[in-house]
Amino acid sequence: SGTTGRTVMLGSGGDPLSRVLFWAVAEVPGPSSPGTRTAQWLSVLGHKEVDALCLKGRKDAHIQRYGGARMMRVPNAIDKPFLERLSTYQRALQRQLKGGESYDLVWCADLFSASAAAPLLPKGTPLIVEVAEVPSLLSSARALVGDSAEEHSARWLQQEKAAIRAATRVIVPSRHAAKLLSERVDARLLWILPRCVDRSVYAPPTVEYALEEERRVLVFGGREGRWLRGAVSLAHALASRLPRTVRVGVLGAPGSTDAELRALLDKRDLSERVELVDADAPLAVAGALALAHVVVVPSSAEDEI
């Protein structure tokens, strides 16, 4: 609801938005990240008049009510080349804008949609652009047979610039993504909104473990050079919260940094609680994981962390 509140304030004079248009080159709801995120946004805008243009799944209707939104789906001919399917979608999107419909806010879930929408929006219409991927950096995998990937990349780069210039806000999933776009986007236009798990699709089961004698908690990774201090900090946090009967292991390939890692563990009095688990091949990794009672998999979206 907090995000929805910020969206509402984009209306002229701070008045509530009455009509919103969503676009996504994805099936909505669907298995892809844009498809899931767009479905989440639509679920919180049920009290508004919302149109959504997306791709049609095999079991979806062309026109359908989804919550408070009117879904308009473009046939997704999977057997056709990507650029041909994209062109079909963009033509449908342009017809929607040229058909006389007026919107208080236009929301594009990808740069493909935004690049087609930006030239056709009436002046003053707020445009929100989500950046899931940058087409000009990925064009080589999507070029038609005989076409030049460099030409596609250059053309998409120009379209992306036009879309970003027209954007009222640009949404990215992390600070790292914002940094990658820092040369293209005014930092004042960026919103960092982390991607979330859709619990209606993914509902992990509740599992309880009794940590008894000879139990092991295994940290997957952390023996690579720049992650050493992070691994030690994580091992210290685990050791301080678990009974002394629980061993903490740091899994990774043995290397030249092991001496530094052991020195850091000694400094925190962790030598007796934390062990280095060697695994330099897939079979060794599988064996180490099988012996653990709990596996901790750290993740990071930022280069500097």
Side-chain angles (χ1 to χ4, degrees):
S1 59
T3 302
T4 305
R6 288 189 290 174
T7 304
V8 168
M9 295 306 294
L10 290 171
S12 59
D15 294 331
L17 300 173
S18 58
R19 296 207 67 199
V20 181
L21 176 63
F22 269 88
W23 291 334
V25 186
E27 296 178 16
V28 180
S32 68
S33 181
T36 299
R37 293 200 313 280
T38 303
Q40 290 170 341
W41 287 123
L42 294 179
S43 71
V44 300
L45 292 173
H47 62 292
K48 301 184 182 302
E49 189 173 348
V50 180
D51 288 341
L53 188 68
C54 62
L55 297 180
K56 182 183 181 301
R58 285 189 171 89
K59 298 181 180 180
D60 295 324
H62 286 280
I63 303 293
Q64 181 187 29
R65 299 298 298 186
Y66 181 78
R70 179 180 64 156
M71 305 298 297
M72 297 172 287
R73 296 188 172 98
V74 179
N76 183 16
I78 299 178
D79 57 327
K80 301 289 185 179
F82 172 78
L83 293 182
E84 187 174 331
R85 290 185 283 138
L86 177 63
S87 178
T88 300
Y89 172 83
Q90 290 180 327
R91 287 197 301 271
L93 183 153
Q94 291 165 351
R95 286 195 299 270
Q96 181 68 17
L97 281 180
K98 293 177 179 178
E101 299 280 1
S102 61
Y103 296 97
D104 299 300
L105 174 69
V106 174
W107 193 301
C108 295
D110 48 68
L111 277 170
F112 291 116
S113 298
S115 62
L120 300 176
L121 289 181
K123 186 177 181 179
T125 302
L127 172 65
I128 306 297
V129 179
E130 291 190 61
V131 180
E133 62 181 21
V134 182
S136 60
L137 302 180
L138 303 171
S139 60
S140 60
R142 289 176 165 160
L144 291 169
V145 175
D147 286 352
S148 168
E150 291 76 15
E151 291 177 3
H152 283 297
S153 180
R155 184 164 64 250
W156 274 342
L157 180 60
Q158 293 302 317
Q159 293 173 350
E160 292 161 10
K161 289 180 178 178
I164 288 173
R165 282 197 301 269
T168 307
R169 293 287 183 182
V170 176
I171 293 179
V172 292
S174 69
R175 284 181 294 165
H176 180 61
K179 185 165 57 179
L180 293 177
L181 288 175
S182 60
E183 296 182 0
R184 301 190 185 196
V185 184
D186 185 337
R188 294 171 295 181
L189 301 183
L190 284 171
W191 276 352
I192 299 175
L193 297 180
R195 295 176 184 172
C196 302
V197 172
D198 186 349
R199 290 299 295 270
S200 66
V201 176
Y202 174 71
T206 300
V207 179
E208 294 184 1
Y209 281 95
L211 295 179
E212 301 170 354
E213 296 292 334
E214 302 297 325
R215 299 285 176 166
R216 173 186 283 181
V217 175
L218 189 65
V219 179
F220 190 95
R223 290 174 67 173
E224 301 78 11
R226 60 178 179 151
W227 304 112
L228 295 183
R229 294 186 181 277
V232 173
S233 296
L234 181 54
H236 181 265
L238 291 169
S240 64
R241 289 166 172 77
L242 298 173
R244 296 195 64 83
T245 54
V246 179
R247 302 282 295 176
V248 178
V250 180
L251 179 66
S256 58
T257 58
D258 285 353
E260 180 183 355
L261 179 54
R262 288 192 174 91
L264 291 172
L265 292 173
D266 286 338
K267 189 175 180 180
R268 293 206 181 189
D269 296 325
L270 294 173
S271 299
E272 295 183 359
R273 293 291 308 278
V274 180
E275 59 185 336
L276 305 187
V277 180
D278 294 338
D280 54 2
L283 188 60
V285 172
L289 295 176
L291 292 174
H293 294 88
V294 176
V295 177
V296 180
V297 184
S299 61
S300 174
E302 312 298 337
D303 277 347
E304 66 269 19
I305 298 180

